[in-house]
Amino acid sequence: MLEFLLPLSFLIFCILILSVVWRVNARKYISSGTVASAYDAWTQDKLLERLWGEHIHLGFYASGGGDVDFREAKIQFVHKLVKWSGLDKLPKGSRILDVGCGIGGSSRILAKYYGFNVTGITISPAQVKRARELTPSGINCNFQVMDALDLKFEDGSFDAVWSVEAGAHMNNKTKFADEMLRTLRPGGYLALADWNSRDLRAYPPTFFEKLVLNQLLEQWVHPNFISINEFSNILRTNKYSSGKVISGNWNTYTNPSWYDSIIEGFRRPLVILSLGPLAILKSIREIPTILLMNWAFRKGLMEFGVYKCRG
């Protein structure tokens, strides 16, 4: 039934709202500072955390349907990516770098369930502060403010590098890959998941698709999107890479997250109300972009890329 709730006319209406009414409040990418500011704001108002829990990323639905609790699906995503990428083969005590760690949800799972020594980095000072607050003593995680395009670690510092839904915020995807693979020890594991567009050079977007992509870029501080194949080639040809890269498209497993992220507001209305009237407005503000994201991923304009390779 939900498939019929998003006709083309409503999508166009959403785009017009985003373009005209909220133009002055658009979160357009200008620099890494605008990414930091956006995530500081999202973290400090606590709306996303209260609604979605400790994980801001999408969830994993094994059957491709929304038959799993939204928060549990996010936890399952972490475990699925660990197993798919081979990180579960690493011994306890392995050094893991979580690039774009958010408020530390994935880092804590990697430390608690797999016994890893995890360093999480994010461009957002507010996220680091909150990640530290949420991490109990005895969980082997530490969090730092750091730019993913300028990692302050020596070559080969980590046994694995982990990154989920961070690359879309990077204006230089090659540098992003360089820094992750540089800090990975020879033979170490890279596990990465990200939002990608389809190959826009081979399959140019229509006028309507260009409007959609523009909104997805400007509303959530994304400088650009590239395809799964493009980023795979960047990893494959990197001087620090073994050259063997395996990638996949997890659209089917992650797409139910978009509707669930909206439905959570109806499941937990007191969460929004407890944060005051402004939280209600902020919640409504995000809905058109989430619906556009859902449409773009369902139609194949966007793809959920997963990648694994060895250093």
Side-chain angles (χ1 to χ4, degrees):
M1 183 179 293
L2 287 174
E3 296 294 324
F4 298 98
L5 297 180
L6 203 58
L8 185 61
S9 59
F10 184 64
L11 274 174
I12 295 173
F13 176 69
C14 290
I15 292 173
L16 290 175
I17 289 177
L18 289 167
S19 298
V20 179
V21 180
W22 289 329
R23 175 61 61 184
V24 294
N25 294 317
R27 305 184 189 103
K28 187 174 182 178
Y29 178 92
I30 298 173
S31 68
S32 60
T34 53
V35 178
S37 295
Y39 277 100
D40 280 349
W42 281 321
T43 303
Q44 288 162 348
D45 67 30
K46 293 191 176 179
L47 180 61
L48 293 183
E49 180 186 338
R50 296 279 184 87
L51 278 179
W52 298 350
E54 298 179 21
H55 302 267
I56 309 304
H57 57 77
L58 302 186
F60 186 96
Y61 300 77
S63 66
D67 53 352
V68 181
D69 177 79
F70 184 45
R71 296 188 183 196
E72 180 60 28
K74 290 167 175 283
I75 294 170
Q76 286 303 312
F77 177 89
V78 176
H79 291 298
K80 289 292 183 181
L81 188 60
V82 166
K83 185 175 182 179
W84 181 80
S85 63
L87 260 68
D88 57 337
K89 296 181 176 66
L90 289 169
K92 291 183 178 181
S94 295
R95 304 156 299 167
I96 311 297
L97 176 63
D98 184 354
V99 178
C101 64
I103 57 176
S106 295
S107 294
R108 284 185 287 277
I109 289 178
L110 294 172
K112 181 178 179 180
Y113 289 92
Y114 299 95
F116 298 150
N117 182 348
V118 184
T119 297
I121 67 107
T122 169
I123 198 71
S124 163
Q127 285 190 326
V128 166
K129 180 176 182 292
R130 187 59 181 146
R132 290 171 177 170
E133 292 170 351
L134 289 170
T135 303
S137 60
I139 300 295
N140 205 353
C141 295
N142 73 87
F143 301 98
Q144 302 177 39
V145 178
M146 197 177 297
D147 189 338
L149 300 183
D150 185 23
L151 295 176
K152 305 301 183 182
F153 302 111
E154 305 235 339
D155 294 5
S157 295
F158 297 97
D159 299 300
V161 175
W162 170 279
S163 183
V164 174
E165 297 178 20
H169 294 297
M170 308 298 166
N171 69 331
N172 187 330
K173 315 299 187 193
T174 300
K175 181 66 173 173
F176 178 51
D178 283 346
E179 285 295 275
M180 288 189 294
L181 291 169
R182 178 186 65 77
T183 58
L184 184 64
R185 68 163 171 80
Y189 292 78
L190 174 70
L192 188 143
D194 210 354
W195 298 349
N196 299 96
S197 65
R198 71 167 184 246
D199 188 336
L200 299 177
R201 291 176 296 186
Y203 305 97
T206 64
F207 174 76
F208 176 71
E209 288 175 335
K210 287 179 182 178
L211 290 177
V212 173
L213 286 170
N214 186 62
Q215 291 308 311
L216 301 186
L217 292 172
E218 292 199 354
Q219 292 302 317
W220 285 353
V221 283
H222 297 129
N224 56 71
F225 299 121
I226 64 173
S227 72
I228 292 174
N229 284 340
E230 286 177 283
F231 194 67
S232 293
N233 287 334
I234 288 173
L235 293 173
R236 189 174 294 110
T237 58
N238 188 279
K239 66 180 180 180
Y240 296 103
S241 169
S242 65
K244 184 178 180 181
V245 178
I246 297 175
S247 61
N249 181 356
W250 280 11
N251 269 16
T252 301
Y253 302 120
T254 57
N255 278 358
S257 301
W258 296 113
Y259 280 134
D260 268 359
S261 66
I262 296 173
I263 293 170
E264 280 297 290
F266 296 97
R267 289 176 180 152
R268 308 173 194 269
L270 293 180
V271 168
I272 300 175
L273 294 174
S274 68
L275 294 173
L278 189 57
I280 298 174
L281 294 177
K282 287 180 178 179
S283 299
I284 294 172
R285 184 199 194 286
E286 304 299 345
I287 290 175
T289 306
I290 293 172
L291 291 175
L292 288 176
M293 277 288 190
N294 174 73
W295 182 87
F297 276 90
R298 279 195 305 108
K299 296 297 184 181
L301 176 62
M302 294 289 292
E303 299 177 339
F304 193 94
V306 290
Y307 309 82
K308 59 181 176 180
C309 71
R310 303 290 292 274

